[in-house]
Amino acid sequence: WAEGLSAGTVLLHGWACAGEIALCAAVEAVLRQSPLRGMVTPGGQRMSVTTASCGDWGWVSDRRGYRYSAVDPDSGQPWPAMPDPLRELARGAAAEAGFAGFDPDACLINCYLPGARMGLHQDKDERDFKAPIVSVSLGLPAVFLLGGLRRADPSARILLQHGDVLVWGGPDRMRFHGVQPVKPGCHPLLGERRINLTFRKAR
Ligand code: MD3
Ligand code: FE
């Protein structure tokens, strides 16, 4: 069911469950071409989340900063194409949430092993803040933190489970957000990890 969390954020519970087998297979195929790696932040810390990308643009981080790159810095090759089942899932979820015509050119794949977390941050490396972002959660559950427009604003805690799709845009696009450390567990399809896909219009 669709749950409106605030003006620009919709949580589509279990939206990705129907096609979960094909979806996970497509993700695994991307990860064979573009393996997960721990990015280093501009501050020099290695992230506990490992990442890879598919589509025209991939999000990368190193000592020089955060940015979108057309090539995988590890391979020097373009990122794998965005598989059709992933693109269609993102387009369908965006339309359901009121963002018809969403045309993502980047899909960031985040992998959380137990204990991995993501600190509070804003997503501001994209060029067009009018486009929504679509997030698909797979595998182990996690507590998502949804803050306000200032870092110090209080955060709501939202449980994201396998198959949940979160669409946010409009007034919520610049809200601070993060993920609490993932608890140990084993998911029948993905094992001891959480995978999050974020679809974006990067350029
Ligand atoms: C709602 N990823 O990659 S996605 C990221 O679960 C990132 O891996 C998280 O934040 C993850 O940048 C969260 C869901 C999400 C992301 C940003 C939001 C929901 C949001 C911003 C505002 C409101
Ligand atoms: Fe983010």
Side-chain angles (χ1 to χ4, degrees), residues 7 62 91 101:
D62 58 23
R91 287 182 61 82

Side-chain angles (χ1 to χ4, degrees), residues 110 118 121-123 133 144 168 175 177-178 198 200:
N110 288 144
M118 191 174 287
H121 66 278
Q122 291 170 300
D123 289 11
I133 297 182
F144 173 70
W168 75 97
R175 287 171 77 156
H177 57 278
T198 46
R200 302 143 191 269

Side-chain angles (χ1 to χ4, degrees), residues 36-142:
L36 293 163
R37 78 297 301 266
M39 299 272 186
V40 173
T41 64
Q45 302 280 94
R46 194 167 292 275
M47 293 173 66
S48 60
V49 175
T50 56
T51 61
S53 286
C54 60
D56 293 341
W57 299 95
W59 183 85
V60 299
S61 174
D62 58 23
R63 291 306 295 245
R64 287 157 47 211
Y66 308 118
R67 63 193 170 279
Y68 281 92
S69 169
V71 296
D72 178 341
D74 282 7
S75 68
Q77 296 296 120
W79 301 97
M82 191 183 298
D84 284 337
L86 269 64
R87 182 187 307 276
E88 290 311 315
L89 174 72
R91 287 182 61 82
E96 178 76 11
F99 296 95
F102 179 49
D103 181 26
D105 59 7
C107 172
L108 173 65
I109 303 171
N110 288 144
C111 179
Y112 298 72
L113 299 184
R117 58 183 286 278
M118 191 174 287
L120 274 186
H121 66 278
Q122 291 170 300
D123 289 11
K124 47 186 183 186
D125 300 319
E126 299 76 21
R127 184 170 289 168
D128 174 13
F129 294 145
K130 291 191 300 296
I133 297 182
V134 173
S135 145
V136 179
S137 291
L138 298 169
L140 293 179

